Amino acid sequence: MPFPPLLFRPVVTMASAKAYMSNIVRIESLGYSYPPLDANDQPEWVLRDINLEVSEGEFVSIMGATGVGKTTLCMALNGIVPQSTGGIIRGNVIVDGFNTKRHPVADLAQRVGVVFQEPETQLFNVSVEAEVAFGLESLGVPRVEIANQVTWALSVVGMSEFRERSPFKLSGGQKQRVAIASILAMSPKILVLDEPTASLDPLGKTEVFSIVRELRQQRGMTIIMVEHESERIAEFSDRVIVLSDGSAKIVDTPANVFSRATEMQALGLSVPQVSELAHRLNRRNNTNYVFTQFEETYLALTENARPDSRSST
Ligand SMILES: Nc1ncnc2c1ncn2[C@@H]1O[C@H](COP(=O)(O)OP(=O)(O)OP(=O)(O)O)[C@@H](O)[C@H]1O
Ligand SMILES: [Mg+2]
């Protein structure tokens, strides 16, 4: 099913549409410093020089050590940084053709939705329905249109039967699904998720990941997700961005990123166990294995272990 028509998006001319069709997100030399505690302090650049282009429909994961600026980068994608946080920004963030410096957060929310780590902090209405309707209500969207959007968004996340329920009486995974629905109701093309499963149990994690996968595969959404679990990243992502020292230090496919096991570990980041296994086998046996997922590892190793495969080479 395609996205419902978006009645509230300003008209975009063909010429400007062409300019951003391929790169739906463009980050150019982004630097950002939160406001210093003391006005006389020098700015501390959390983000120093981020350059990144994300294609429409791409799934990009962001990794980086604690405090490296992952959440700050997510907030820069929908204009919260710097519009709500203040501070100093340099460079540009352009999402779906809109420069985040020049458009209010409410306008940007219709193009890029951000889901944060703790579902509790994102829910504050009395019912699931009110929660999902909230963003559209604040834009003054007609009631019938809101009801349709809410019905659609709740069905996408499999929460239709919880419409009347208080969000606070849901499990962690269900809360996060409602948080995602409230973002989807605004029909953004880009979904940014900041460690959306960090506080969830394994079932909740699986629920959220399968919704994100479906949004990407069935609906062509562009996904940017901060995540620590390298196995999940390997399973879902087209590209991985490794943030370090305020810039995108590595930008590559999961296979290429996770084959740099030593470098990743030096940055305090994990790689899938099978990538670590490939790294060790390569060092010991002078092989060139690149593994990121269990199945391919099993197939490669069992194939090589077969007596007839040895004799045929
Ligand atoms: N509102 C704020 N004011 C001042 N400094 C802040 C503020 N929010 C975050 N910081 C600082 O900016 C840096 C980056 O924080 P951020 O939350 O973006 O990192 P992160 O990579 O998301 O960390 P984590 O892995 O813990 O989620 C940290 O040094 C943090 O202390
Ligand atoms: Mg964070």
Side-chain angles (χ1 to χ4, degrees), residues 34-35 46 64-73 117 194-195 228:
Y34 284 98
V46 173
T66 278
V68 81
K70 303 179 295 294
T71 298
T72 305
L73 179 59
Q117 180 171 339
D194 184 10
E195 300 192 54
H228 280 303

Side-chain angles (χ1 to χ4, degrees), residues 19 111 165 212:
R111 289 160 185 86
R165 184 81 64 92
V212 174

Side-chain angles (χ1 to χ4, degrees), residues 23-303:
N23 288 324
I24 196 161
V25 174
R26 219 168 64 233
I27 303 178
E28 301 167 341
S29 307
L30 174 65
Y32 177 69
S33 162
Y34 284 98
L37 284 179
D38 186 311
N40 297 322
D41 287 351
Q42 289 296 311
E44 277 186 34
W45 296 100
V46 173
L47 307 177
R48 290 172 184 278
D49 186 21
I50 306 263
N51 292 283
L52 181 66
E53 292 184 343
V54 178
S55 304
E56 190 155 14
E58 203 178 5
F59 194 128
V60 170
S61 292
I62 299 176
M63 299 182 85
T66 278
V68 81
K70 303 179 295 294
T71 298
T72 305
L73 179 59
C74 289
M75 294 194 297
L77 286 166
N78 75 345
I80 294 178
V81 162
Q83 293 186 35
S84 306
T85 54
I88 310 166
I89 191 159
R90 54 187 190 203
N92 291 299
V93 178
I94 298 153
V95 287
D96 199 16
F98 286 72
N99 192 318
T100 57
K101 275 188 212 161
R102 303 202 188 106
H103 297 270
V105 173
D107 281 1
L108 295 166
Q110 295 165 60
R111 289 160 185 86
V112 49
V114 184
V115 176
F116 292 100
Q117 180 171 339
E118 297 293 339
E120 280 79 8
T121 61
Q122 301 165 83
L123 305 175
F124 44 86
N125 282 281
V126 291
S127 71
V128 165
E129 179 176 31
E131 193 64 61
V132 179
F134 183 79
L136 294 173
E137 273 170 358
S138 58
L139 291 176
V141 174
R143 279 192 170 281
V144 176
E145 191 62 39
I146 293 178
N148 289 342
Q149 291 284 99
V150 170
T151 301
W152 169 78
L154 286 176
S155 76
V156 172
V157 301
M159 289 294 288
S160 302
E161 72 266 40
F162 295 92
R163 202 173 172 127
E164 314 293 330
R165 184 81 64 92
S166 160
F168 305 100
K169 293 187 178 159
L170 300 174
S171 71
Q174 289 170 332
K175 282 181 188 156
Q176 199 56 299
R177 282 152 68 186
V178 171
I180 293 174
S182 63
I183 297 291
L184 291 181
M186 311 280 280
S187 298
K189 286 190 189 167
I190 306 154
L191 184 61
V192 178
L193 302 115
D194 184 10
E195 300 192 54
T197 68
S199 64
L200 305 184
D201 62 16
L203 178 63
K205 279 185 205 284
T206 303
E207 286 171 358
V208 168
F209 277 115
S210 66
I211 289 164
V212 174
R213 183 203 289 263
E214 133 110 19
L215 287 170
R216 191 278 179 96
Q217 287 179 346
Q218 309 295 323
R219 296 162 202 282
M221 284 189 88
T222 305
I223 311 281
I224 299 175
M225 181 163 73
V226 176
E227 180 56 50
H228 280 303
E229 286 186 33
S230 51
E231 271 83 7
R232 302 267 192 192
I233 292 174
E235 189 184 344
F236 287 98
S237 316
D238 299 312
R239 280 190 304 157
V240 182
I241 317 296
V242 178
L243 286 191
S244 174
D245 201 20
S247 69
K249 191 175 171 78
I250 309 175
V251 181
D252 214 330
T253 59
N256 287 343
V257 170
F258 293 138
S259 59
R260 296 162 76 164
T262 311
E263 204 176 331
M264 290 293 280
Q265 279 152 6
L267 292 170
L269 302 174
S270 70
V271 301
Q273 283 193 326
V274 292
S275 306
E276 171 70 27
L277 175 67
H279 182 64
R280 288 195 200 180
L281 288 172
N282 293 344
R283 260 198 327 215
R284 203 177 101 171
N285 303 336
N286 212 18
T287 47
N288 285 310
Y289 288 124
V290 176
F291 301 142
T292 57
Q293 298 191 55
F294 180 83
E295 201 58 29
E296 63 179 358
T297 309
Y298 177 76
L299 288 174
L301 295 182
T302 49
E303 178 63 24

